[in-house]
Amino acid sequence: MSALGNIAAALLPLYGVILLAWGVGARVPWAAKLFSTILVFGLIPLLVIDKVLGAETQQLLVIPPLMFTVAALMSIPAHRLAKRLGDDFDPKLLSASFSFFNVAFFGVPVSQALFGEVGVSTVICAYIGSALYGDTIGYFLIARTKEGTRKAATKALRVPVVYVIVGAIIAKSAGVTMPEAASPILSVAGTLVSVLGMAVIGLNLAETGRDDWRPRLMTRILGVRQASGLVLIATALALEAAFIGILAPRDRVIVGLIALFPIASNVTLFATLLDSNRKAAAVLVALSSAVSLVLVLLVVGLFHSAIPT
């Protein structure tokens, strides 16, 4: 099967999960929180440990700092757009929508479809960088207006993925490897991360109505975010190639595709925290997921011959 066919086969069932969860979400209002808890405290840490232990050293040295920087810089165009939008969308939530890419739920099946398990290690390294920004600095900047500086900082320091990343890197430097017997469990965990992550998107949509979609506003936000992501990630990759030059072509393809990835579903969790634009955030995440599916399939279809094997 071609690269385009592999991605379509991997992603389209996940979008079926979104539609199914959207349809049943009103009957199971507790499910989104439960799935998010399972992901944050169980499945994602397990996947991060496995892929960090299996990642190449140059990937860990370059990709996480690169994605951390991109996520931080995405707040600049978000801030400028927020000034123009005024009260139409919460500026802190807008910043989160720009900075948080759906690297884990969307990126894992895309990378696996293109390059197999070796591609998943690359995308998890990218997830590390974006998560370190989003779950620490990003969370603090959003939460401090409602919870206060001290409480927001304390909660940011409790995020498990930060300690999982640090622990996994220390374990890798000590030569620890994942036992072979864990492979079947890890394979199932990788699939569940994508399935439950997409289900959270659909479950959050169940609370929305027609008035929450506001197509003109959503189109404007997604257009600026998409252009900003392309410019920043392309610039970051160009600088890496010019001054560092240690990433493999496969790594550059995966990191480049992240510019097309949708908004992370945890933006809806931040909207709940702020009690602001919660339904609009759910719509924005869902629309960006639909746009990203089209863009990734289009780009891979056009440039599949140039993708390294």
Side-chain angles (χ1 to χ4, degrees):
M1 190 182 294
S2 66
L4 184 62
N6 286 337
I7 292 179
L11 287 181
L12 290 178
L14 295 177
Y15 281 78
V17 171
I18 293 178
L19 293 175
L20 178 62
W22 187 359
V24 304
R27 302 175 188 174
V28 286
W30 45 265
K33 185 175 181 180
L34 173 63
F35 290 173
S36 297
T37 301
I38 293 171
L39 287 164
V40 170
F41 291 96
L43 294 175
I44 289 178
L46 182 62
L47 197 62
V48 167
I49 291 170
D50 175 50
K51 298 310 175 185
V52 167
L53 292 179
E56 299 174 7
T57 302
Q58 60 263 33
Q59 291 178 320
L60 289 170
L61 289 174
V62 174
I63 299 175
L66 184 151
M67 283 306 304
F68 183 97
T69 303
V70 168
L73 290 176
M74 284 290 284
S75 63
I76 297 174
H79 176 70
R80 292 179 176 175
L81 179 60
K83 285 187 172 181
R84 294 196 291 270
L85 293 180
D87 296 331
D88 285 343
F89 210 88
D90 187 286
K92 293 181 177 59
L93 194 57
L94 190 68
S95 180
S97 299
F98 273 54
S99 294
F100 304 163
F101 294 86
N102 193 337
V103 180
F105 311 149
F106 187 91
V108 168
V110 169
S111 302
Q112 195 168 34
L114 283 174
F115 301 109
E117 288 301 320
V118 69
V120 179
S121 292
T122 301
V123 86
I124 291 300
C125 286
Y127 170 77
I128 288 171
S130 60
L132 283 176
Y133 174 81
D135 292 341
T136 55
I137 296 174
Y139 176 85
F140 171 76
L141 292 175
I142 289 171
R144 64 177 178 174
T145 56
K146 185 169 185 178
E147 299 191 331
T149 300
R150 179 174 296 180
K151 188 175 181 180
T154 302
K155 281 194 172 183
L157 292 174
R158 293 178 188 168
V159 177
V161 73
V162 176
Y163 301 100
V164 168
I165 291 168
V166 173
I169 291 174
I170 292 173
K172 180 177 176 60
S173 65
V176 176
T177 58
M178 190 66 73
E180 200 64 38
S183 294
I185 298 173
L186 293 166
S187 178
V188 172
T191 300
L192 283 176
V193 163
S194 294
V195 171
L196 294 184
M198 293 302 198
V200 169
I201 295 173
L203 291 167
N204 286 321
L205 269 181
E207 297 183 14
T208 65
R210 183 177 297 179
D211 293 339
D212 299 311
W213 287 78
R214 295 187 289 175
R216 185 174 297 179
L217 172 65
M218 299 302 175
T219 300
R220 186 177 182 184
I221 292 173
L222 290 178
V224 175
R225 178 187 180 271
Q226 194 67 73
S228 303
L230 286 168
V231 170
L232 285 173
I233 288 182
T235 301
L237 287 173
L239 290 173
E240 187 281 327
F243 297 104
I244 303 175
I246 63 175
L247 289 182
R250 176 193 68 240
D251 296 327
R252 294 193 177 109
V253 168
I254 293 174
V255 173
L257 282 174
I258 290 174
L260 306 178
F261 285 6
I263 298 168
S265 59
N266 63 348
V267 168
T268 57
L269 301 179
F270 289 130
T272 302
L273 171 68
L274 289 168
D275 195 23
S276 173
N277 285 298
R278 187 163 49 90
K279 295 180 180 180
V283 170
L284 191 59
V285 169
L287 287 175
S288 74
S289 298
V291 170
S292 291
L293 173 64
V294 174
L295 289 177
V296 168
L297 291 176
L298 179 62
V299 168
V300 172
L302 290 174
F303 300 101
H304 66 279
S305 61
I307 295 176
T309 56

